[in-house]
Amino acid sequence: MSKTLFERIIDREIEADIVWENERIIAFNDISPQAPTHILIVPKKVISSLNELEEEDRDLIGEMFIVAKNIAEEKGISENGYRTIFNTNDYGGQTVYHLHLHLIGGRKMTWPPG
Ligand code: 5GP
């Protein structure tokens, strides 16, 4: 099976601006940032979307949010606030089918989203 785009980033086949990494998770700047801070937090385990999440992924998802919180602190956006988003499938606006959490901040967001 061919690799996902984000697996190719994990394997250093495609360049990315990596901001944090451990054995389970990688975080890098989005190539098309929608705000001054726009970071993707990606599990190294390939999970296509939130729809494919399994019970055994409980800790992994929790860790992704801890990573988001820590990076938000490091980037100085915690106090003003930020968004964490999973886009799922077509109606959710998902374009890359390798689970990722968007961490978006550094400007005031509007609601509802488009
Ligand atoms: P989705 O639309 O699936 O929720 O989010 C995919 C995100 O991946 C988009 O925000 C898009 O800008 C980003 N993206 C797509 N290709 C690349 C790439 O090659 N490198 C990086 N760093 N981000 C990418």
Side-chain angles (χ1 to χ4, degrees):
M1 221 167 88
S2 62
K3 287 184 182 180
T4 68
L5 174 65
F6 291 164
E7 272 182 296
R8 298 187 66 196
I9 288 176
I10 292 163
D11 292 343
R12 306 308 199 262
E13 292 170 10
I14 294 177
E15 242 182 83
D17 189 5
I18 296 167
V19 297
W20 190 88
E21 184 174 21
N22 72 2
E23 318 83 71
R24 295 171 296 281
I25 292 168
I26 191 167
F28 49 84
N29 285 317
D30 196 294
I31 204 166
S32 176
Q34 301 302 309
T37 299
H38 188 169
I39 292 168
L40 302 175
I41 296 155
V42 180
K44 293 187 177 179
K45 174 182 177 184
V46 181
I47 301 166
S48 303
S49 81
L50 212 53
N51 284 340
E52 281 71 42
L53 198 70
E54 291 172 357
E55 193 59 35
E56 66 182 31
D57 302 318
R58 187 182 282 264
D59 287 352
L60 183 61
I61 287 292
E63 189 177 6
M64 288 170 71
F65 277 102
I66 296 289
V67 170
K69 178 208 131 172
N70 289 342
I71 293 175
E73 255 167 42
E74 272 168 32
K75 297 289 177 188
I77 61 171
S78 295
E79 199 173 320
N80 282 338
Y82 53 89
R83 283 220 180 125
T84 44
I85 302 164
F86 285 105
N87 293 326
T88 304
N89 279 359
D90 185 25
Y91 276 22
Q94 186 172 7
T95 58
V96 177
Y97 283 80
H98 181 143
L99 191 72
H100 50 282
L101 180 61
H102 293 261
L103 168 63
I104 303 175
R107 69 167 168 83
K108 191 162 172 60
M109 309 287 158
T110 57
W111 191 263

